[in-house]
Amino acid sequence: MSALARWCYQHRFVVITAWIGLLIGLAVMSQAVKTSYDNSFTPPGTGSGNAQQLLLRSAPAQAGDADQIVWQVSHGSVTDPAIEQRMSAMLARVSHMPEVASVTSPYLPGGKVQVSPDGRTAYATVNFTKTADDLDKADIHRVVAVATAAREPGLGVELGGLAISHAEEAPLSSASAIGIGAAAVILLVAFGSLFAMALPIATAVAGVGSGLMLMAPLSHLMSVNGVAPILGALIGLGVGVDYALFVVTRYRRGLQSGLDPQRSAVLALNTSGRAVLFAGGTVCIALLGLLSIGVGFIDGLAVPAAITVVCTVLAAVTLLPALFGVLGQRVLSRRQRRRLRADGPDHAESESGIWARWSRTVPRFPAVLAAAGLAVMIVVSAPVLHLRLGFADNSNDPTSSTTYKAYEMLAEGFGPGFNGPLFLVSQTGPAADRAALDRLDHALTAVPGVAAVQTAPAQARPSAGPAVEVTQVLPTTAPESQATSTLITHLRNTVIPRYTHGTTLRVYIGGGTATSADLAAVTSAKLPWLLATIVGFGFLLLVLAFRSLLIPAITAVLNLLAAAASFGVLTAFFQWGWGTRTFGLGAPSPIEGYMPEIVLAVLFGLSMDYQVFLVSRMAEEWSRTRDNARSVLAGQTHTARVITAAATIMIAVFIAFVFTGQRNVAEFGIGLAAAVALDAFVLRTVLVPAVMHLCGRANWWLPRWLDRRLPHLAIEPPADEPPAEPPARVPEPARA
């Protein structure tokens, strides 16, 4: 790292120019190749996946997204001649728009089922040529504009469905701007210098920007999900600012201790820079551990996010030292520069302040503090016992959105289950199959939880052979309700097998509700493998880095506890509804089915970050003194302030993404913000140092036979490398 830091510092304008050229080149390339996102989250091999594949092969027109245009009159009926004429003309225009395959109007023969019993509400189904996530937003906006133009006093027109929901999503730039602004304020308060504040922001923006622009070519090489830019920006901004903050803090400390800017930059990269490389590696390992789940939807989130993290690490270890060379001592505030000139070097800066006093308090009451910290984590984790996975329907959209209004209109006119129909897709062959399917369709009307059954054969291709038939089942309950999930399970495990036994008929349940249930089931089944992968790799890396068995074991246990606490917060906030109304995120509803795996991967990576920064500083002191109490005290004294500042920045960035209005993104933001807060202010400042004080020299024990066989992976500089600054004084541990 010393050679890299020295080269980047001495060739600072070359490095800065190279980064500017890289960003411009990536921007041009991303605009040229465009993005090709694959947002299908239907798990292959499941009932919903088989239903989707059957429709794609035999009835591609029905495999596209089906959204609704809903209208409601305040007086009279939707079948009044004036209303019918106005709405029929609008539907005719919509049917000829790009990417619209067909429009099913309630005013056509057989369309009476699309009019509510009270006659005040009606809907038309807009069948698109593609699935919701593959449609161009511009084409969706055109449909919305034409449909809503039919509104008039006494006639409300709204639109609902997945395609409409995606078109209403807030742009990524707004959340990113809020997060960057919050980070800038915190950095300015922490550093007291505009230049010091700008360095982490500029580095993070360069790293995240390059990572996001790489998603365009990547989307042509693998399936990349449309949520990937949001997740990449959320993680990248958080870790990017943090990584740069740790390096800048070490650089400023070097300047204040009397080093010239170049030696200070080399020291910062040779210490904190090593920790950044290691921490970034753990985040990438945790993210790539998601590949073990084997679901393309999740793969399309994990790989782009890992690439963004790699870009932020590269920016921190190359662009930062170059910027140090340009700014020199101006990274310090004016008051700090005056004090340095007047009083000379200061080696005792880290010995004062609230965190230094706290670090001297921990060894006085380690058992009490460890018990208190553990109690807090257990209490916060308790709601996780009631965690229910599923998905949130459009009733949780912002009340001003057209999707929310359409949902309410349909629920009022036709019942709550109308917003989440189940599609039973089958391919009939012999006459026995046809007879079995007829018996099944008739029996469905008597199944508890089924409000209505509508049968309509799909349009099979002339040469397709057996016909594909689609039966629409309307539940009596809302899509996100537990009763609806129970109905799907009952149909699959009991009703369908009873009427298809002894035939070649295969009936699959598809639709958005069934797909979400299948995704939750598949990812939950793979969760133990994911945990084993990321915990195992994390344990091994820490053993190699710190030559210890106890420290990696403590880290693994505490990270699992942090994960439980994070989902405890998610359960209380979203499932119990303790915070959803405040943030305009709708009513209480289940946690998204794919959320545990992604949040766990990110959480383990971020938790490892703070553990690495904390323990690597302890290991530096241990390598010099072999005094555990002094080492733990030094690590906490010198890192607590910067860890908590970094955590505050990351929390601000994560919370900013809550204001996108997208519930799944808000779950990422709240879950990770809670995890980081608990990790930084409970685990790393209370539990870890307290436990390490209790364990004494056992923290650093490793069997000799294992030490000889393991390769060395040093985070701290080699022992034979001359220090770039005198060791900072560490106060003696307080005695009880």
Side-chain angles (χ1 to χ4, degrees):
M1 292 298 293
S2 298
L4 175 64
R6 191 173 293 108
W7 191 92
C8 291
Y9 184 95
Q10 294 174 350
H11 301 83
R12 43 192 173 273
F13 294 110
V14 173
V15 174
I16 294 172
T17 303
W19 267 99
I20 294 174
L22 174 66
L23 291 172
I24 294 174
L26 289 176
V28 172
M29 179 179 64
S30 64
Q31 289 297 316
V33 302
K34 302 295 182 183
T35 54
S36 178
Y37 292 135
D38 179 6
N39 294 322
S40 174
F41 62 93
T42 306
T46 61
S48 58
N50 292 333
Q52 180 73 8
Q53 289 301 315
L54 190 57
L55 286 174
L56 284 171
R57 289 197 304 267
S58 302
Q62 291 197 15
D65 189 63
D67 287 35
Q68 299 82 35
I69 299 175
V70 189
W71 57 97
Q72 190 175 68
V73 294
S74 56
H75 303 286
S77 171
V78 293
T79 57
D80 291 343
I83 300 295
E84 179 176 345
Q85 180 179 3
R86 185 178 185 87
M87 298 308 297
S88 295
M90 178 271 290
L91 295 176
R93 290 195 296 272
V94 170
S95 65
H96 292 92
M97 303 194 72
E99 303 293 359
V100 175
S102 63
V103 176
T104 306
S105 170
Y107 301 121
L108 296 176
K112 290 184 178 180
V113 294
Q114 295 172 234
V115 178
S116 64
D118 63 4
R120 294 183 55 244
T121 307
Y123 73 92
T125 300
V126 180
N127 295 301
F128 289 100
T129 58
K130 300 176 183 176
T131 57
D133 296 314
D134 296 325
L135 290 168
D136 191 328
K137 286 188 177 182
D139 293 326
I140 303 173
H141 285 305
R142 293 189 189 98
V143 171
V144 174
V146 170
T148 54
R151 292 170 178 164
E152 64 177 1
L155 173 63
V157 181
E158 306 295 344
L159 295 92
L162 285 176
I164 308 301
S165 295
H166 293 169
E168 285 195 325
E169 292 175 352
L172 172 63
S173 56
S174 59
S176 300
I178 295 173
I180 291 173
V185 172
I186 296 170
L187 287 170
L188 184 59
V189 172
F191 286 148
S193 166
L194 284 174
F195 289 119
M197 174 270 287
L199 283 177
I201 298 296
T203 306
V205 169
V208 173
S210 57
L212 294 181
M213 287 185 285
L214 282 172
M215 291 186 190
L218 181 66
S219 66
H220 295 276
L221 301 176
M222 64 173 292
S223 296
V224 176
N225 193 273
V227 183
I230 298 177
L231 184 62
L234 186 148
I235 299 171
L237 283 176
V239 301
V241 174
D242 270 16
Y243 293 165
L245 172 62
F246 280 101
V247 177
V248 171
T249 300
R250 198 61 180 254
Y251 174 73
R252 283 161 52 90
R253 187 180 302 160
L255 292 178
Q256 290 174 306
S257 67
L259 298 179
D260 62 75
Q262 179 171 324
R263 292 184 64 200
S264 184
V266 172
L267 171 68
L269 265 292
N270 206 32
T271 51
S272 295
R274 288 171 180 262
V276 164
L277 284 176
F278 190 85
T282 61
V283 174
C284 291
I285 289 173
L287 286 169
L288 296 179
L290 291 169
L291 300 180
S292 64
I293 297 176
V295 176
F297 168 77
I298 294 179
D299 295 349
L301 295 174
V303 175
I307 290 176
T308 305
V309 172
V310 170
C311 291
T312 61
V313 171
L314 290 176
V317 299
T318 59
L319 182 58
L320 262 184
L323 293 174
F324 290 156
V326 173
L327 296 177
Q329 288 195 342
R330 284 175 292 178
V331 175
L332 298 176
S333 66
R334 292 181 179 179
R335 185 176 61 179
Q336 289 170 328
R337 294 199 299 270
R338 287 196 300 267
R339 183 187 304 164
L340 182 62
R341 288 192 297 267
D343 302 335
D346 179 10
H347 300 301
E349 178 190 8
S350 59
E351 297 182 20
S352 60
I354 184 173
W355 291 115
R357 292 192 295 272
W358 173 253
S359 66
R360 292 192 293 270
T361 302
V362 173
R364 297 179 59 191
F365 313 101
V368 174
L369 291 173
L374 187 62
V376 169
M377 297 299 292
I378 291 174
V379 169
V380 177
S381 302
V384 78
L385 299 174
H386 304 279
L387 175 67
R388 182 168 76 88
L389 299 179
F391 77 106
D393 56 35
N394 292 129
S395 65
N396 296 287
D397 290 351
T399 54
S400 60
S401 65
T402 188
T403 52
Y404 173 83
K405 295 174 182 176
Y407 181 99
E408 293 298 315
M409 284 182 179
L410 290 172
E412 179 185 344
F414 298 91
F418 194 86
N419 286 285
L422 308 177
F423 297 98
L424 276 61
V425 184
S426 58
Q427 191 172 31
T428 57
D433 288 356
R434 177 69 259 179
L437 184 61
D438 289 340
R439 290 194 299 271
L440 173 62
D441 290 344
H442 179 73
L444 287 171
T445 59
V447 174
V450 174
V453 178
Q454 299 175 4
T455 304
Q459 299 295 323
R461 295 177 304 224
S463 60
V468 172
E469 304 226 6
V470 180
T471 300
Q472 180 175 272
V473 176
L474 299 179
T476 58
T477 50
E480 67 180 28
S481 171
Q482 177 66 57
T484 304
S485 299
T486 302
L487 174 63
I488 295 173
T489 303
H490 178 59
L491 292 176
R492 284 175 170 169
N493 297 343
T494 304
V495 178
I496 293 175
R498 180 187 305 162
Y499 291 94
T500 60
H501 180 70
T503 70
T504 60
L505 182 65
R506 296 292 180 268
V507 180
Y508 305 107
I509 301 181
T513 306
T515 298
S516 298
D518 287 342
L519 181 62
V522 169
T523 55
S524 297
K526 298 292 183 69
L527 184 58
W529 295 103
L530 175 65
L531 283 173
T533 300
I534 58 180
V535 171
F537 272 110
F539 182 88
L540 179 60
L541 284 174
L542 289 181
V543 170
L544 295 176
F546 299 127
R547 322 304 292 181
S548 163
L549 292 179
L550 188 59
I551 290 175
I554 292 172
T555 302
V557 172
L558 293 184
N559 285 352
L560 287 171
L561 191 58
S566 174
F567 282 99
V569 172
L570 278 176
T571 302
F573 192 98
F574 290 97
Q575 189 174 312
W576 294 354
W578 287 7
T580 52
R581 295 296 188 188
T582 303
F583 285 88
L585 297 171
S589 62
I591 306 302
E592 295 290 335
Y594 58 86
M595 195 64 58
E597 288 70 23
I598 297 177
V599 170
L600 278 176
V602 177
L603 170 59
F604 267 80
L606 298 180
S607 295
M608 289 285 286
D609 281 0
Y610 292 141
Q611 184 74 345
V612 166
F613 286 121
L614 174 63
V615 179
S616 62
R617 187 62 185 86
M618 295 177 182
E620 287 184 46
E621 193 68 24
W622 171 258
S623 65
R624 286 196 292 262
T625 66
R626 298 293 166 175
D627 183 334
N628 178 74
R630 181 183 179 89
S631 300
V632 176
L633 182 63
Q636 188 175 12
T637 301
H638 295 156
T639 63
R641 180 173 177 269
V642 69
I643 284 177
T644 51
T648 304
I649 292 171
M650 195 174 287
I651 292 167
V653 171
F654 290 157
I655 291 295
F657 282 81
V658 176
F659 298 100
T660 60
Q662 301 177 49
R663 192 180 178 98
N664 58 343
V665 177
E667 288 182 11
F668 282 126
I670 293 295
L672 293 176
V676 169
L678 292 168
D679 193 288
F681 293 96
V682 178
L683 295 186
R684 309 306 157 192
T685 59
V686 180
L687 261 176
V688 170
V691 171
M692 291 186 70
H693 277 297
L694 290 172
C695 293
R697 296 177 64 88
N699 290 314
W700 313 99
W701 177 78
L702 185 70
R704 291 184 179 180
W705 63 267
L706 183 59
D707 189 31
R708 289 193 300 268
R709 287 169 173 77
L710 289 177
H712 283 262
L713 179 63
I715 299 178
E716 67 276 2
D720 57 352
E721 182 175 312
E725 65 167 326
R729 296 198 308 271
V730 180
E732 291 297 325
R735 304 298 180 185

